[in-house]
Amino acid sequence: MNTVSSIQPPHHFHCTTFFSYTTTRTQLSFPAKVFFCQAKSGIDGSLNLKVVSPTLLAAEREEAKAVLTLFLKKHGLSNAVAARTINKSDLFIDHLVSKLHSKHKSWYLAGRELTTLEIRNALIPYLESLFEEHGDFLVDVVENYPNPPIKDKSDVPIPPSSPVLDSKKLKAVSRVSEIDLDSGNLRPHIVYLMELGMDIEQIRSITRRFPSFAYYSLEGKVKPVVEFFLELGVPIENIPTILTKRPQLCGISLSENLKPTMKFLESLGVDKKQWPKVIYRFPALLTYSRQKVMESIDFLHELGLSEESIGKILTRCPNIVSYSVEDNLRPTANYFRSLGVDVGILLFRCPQNFGLSIETNLKPVTEFFLERGYTLEEIGTMISRYGALYTFSLTENLIPKWDFFLTTGYPKSELVKFPQYFGYSLEERIKPRFAIVKKSGVKLLLNQVLSLSSSNFDEALKKKMKKMQHG
């Protein structure tokens, strides 16, 4: 599931304090024959047939149900609502089982059975990535699988969940503006948050997404985390944004979770001096399980990136760990590789590319340049020279800038040499500079027109004009 990285993932949770359960493998009687279970494997989505006994298949479905049930309950669904969702989710459960078969193909072929812990460890990161992507719409995704969720979430109200869940949410939201009987004021942590610059509507909005937030104590939960961030050097004006993006941070133990997670991330190369920026950019990083982080790190190593480079990527673009390895990173890497790009270098220069959808974002850009006469090799050169090229909107950036480029008289090959052209503002840089060049009657290289500072640009123009006069 490739998604556009510009959409801020919704709230998340910390996985290390999650799921302590055992599941008894259900022994169901089936006819004594072998079922074939199809599971997608490989980038091209080719189907591998794996022979799995019906008894094992039924047991795995029960385990997948148990993992999903606890996952949903962890996010505020009551037992009844979670059970109802599971009952409507047969196709999604089958999909989870096929994920197991895909992830551990060699084990199945060798006749090895997965343990409950192995099943849990295989499915939790995948469910986490779905939750990062869809947030409150996850139930919708699960129940309607394989149909995609509604794309434009802004126009669609959150589907009604259940009277029980709704009343819990309403109670939590109303608690935000309730007067505390002891103080005659709003509750202490609400007053504290407002002193930090949050308004009551912001706090209500957080509580609608994450009802537990209304019940956090000031001294036990909220204040220690906020003060810890301030000590790290996080500007006080950034605190409301961080808590809005990731209210769960206030529910995490400083000594048992937050600080050890930061030490772990520092050991992977996150620059400790940059924590204020990292936390502001992507506070969810501090709530990921180590297993989830290591899946991403292992993939970056696989691309040939050094530990130093990985540390820099985590510092500059921490949300790289929110991308699913199998659904985002690997397919995207393969796509860019097919254009002849050194994927490790591209990921280091512009990790944002790896949160884009191949079908929705990447292929249309490739088609755009192919239609204008560029070869795949030239397109590969352009993206290698300018990693951000594929992050631009076709309609708002590439098309208008291309249309203007056609009026400049430069050959198309200039854009292969200088694809950074697309990174400059059309109205504030490209058009004004070209107007000056046209007026002067001289010709500069495309990169000279745009990349030089004002003084150097003027100097280059004067030199050219002098040369022309003497010529």
Side-chain angles (χ1 to χ4, degrees), residues 132-358:
E132 276 297 320
E133 186 181 341
H134 300 289
D136 287 331
F137 286 76
L138 183 61
V139 169
D140 196 38
V141 173
V142 168
E143 290 183 359
N144 294 298
Y145 186 86
N147 297 321
I150 300 152
K151 288 290 175 204
D152 188 0
K153 296 178 183 179
S154 59
D155 294 340
V156 184
I158 294 169
S161 43
S162 75
V164 176
L165 188 58
D166 286 343
S167 71
K168 273 187 187 176
K169 251 185 201 180
L170 288 170
K171 194 175 173 189
V173 172
S174 67
R175 184 180 166 86
V176 169
S177 43
E178 274 175 12
I179 300 297
D180 182 39
L181 295 175
D182 295 331
S183 65
N185 205 336
L186 293 167
R187 294 181 189 279
H189 75 293
I190 304 298
V191 173
Y192 179 72
L193 292 168
M194 290 175 79
E195 284 168 359
L196 289 170
M198 296 181 90
D199 61 51
I200 199 88
E201 199 40 58
Q202 262 181 306
I203 301 167
R204 281 199 194 105
S205 174
I206 292 170
T207 308
R208 280 186 204 103
R209 284 190 291 119
F210 191 67
S212 303
F213 194 66
Y215 298 92
Y216 284 158
S217 74
L218 174 61
E219 300 299 333
K221 297 270 187 189
V222 180
K223 201 171 181 180
V225 171
V226 170
E227 287 184 347
F228 175 65
F229 287 161
L230 294 174
E231 281 165 25
L232 281 175
V234 173
I236 195 163
E237 63 269 19
N238 288 358
I239 297 289
T241 304
I242 291 166
L243 295 187
T244 301
K245 284 182 184 175
R246 205 59 164 182
Q248 295 90 322
L249 282 166
C250 292
I252 291 174
S253 161
L254 269 176
S255 57
E256 288 175 32
N257 293 93
L258 212 51
K259 288 179 180 177
T261 297
M262 289 172 71
K263 284 280 177 221
F264 167 66
L265 290 164
E266 283 167 18
S267 76
L268 296 173
V270 171
D271 183 350
K272 60 163 71 175
K273 292 176 192 159
Q274 297 295 320
W275 271 124
K277 286 181 182 171
V278 173
I279 293 167
Y280 180 67
R281 281 178 196 141
F282 191 60
L285 181 67
L286 300 182
T287 62
Y288 279 105
S289 66
R290 292 186 183 203
Q291 182 196 345
K292 169 73 175 154
V293 173
M294 283 314 299
E295 281 193 2
S296 302
I297 301 302
D298 289 345
F299 179 74
L300 298 181
H301 278 305
E302 206 181 291
L303 292 180
L305 286 159
S306 66
E307 288 186 6
E308 187 187 354
S309 294
I310 290 170
K312 285 178 178 171
I313 290 168
L314 285 175
T315 305
R316 281 195 344 256
C317 185
N319 58 322
I320 191 80
V321 298
S322 71
Y323 308 151
S324 158
V325 170
E326 297 309 323
D327 291 332
N328 293 82
L329 297 178
R330 197 180 302 284
T332 306
N334 284 343
Y335 181 77
F336 282 122
R337 208 173 275 126
S338 74
L339 298 175
V341 174
D342 183 320
V343 174
I345 291 172
L346 177 63
L347 198 145
F348 179 71
R349 286 183 183 161
C350 190
Q352 292 87 344
N353 281 309
F354 290 76
L356 299 173
S357 158
I358 292 175

Side-chain angles (χ1 to χ4, degrees), residues 381-382 385 411-420 445 447:
T381 302
M382 289 162 84
R385 286 184 176 158
K412 285 189 309 183
S413 57
E414 279 293 298
L415 288 178
V416 180
K417 292 178 196 165
F418 189 65
Q420 290 87 343
L445 293 171
N447 72 329

Side-chain angles (χ1 to χ4, degrees), residues 436-453:
I436 296 167
V437 171
K438 192 175 180 182
K439 197 175 176 185
S440 71
V442 299
K443 192 98 174 175
L444 294 176
L445 293 171
L446 185 61
N447 72 329
Q448 289 179 307
V449 177
L450 296 171
S451 65
L452 297 176
S453 66

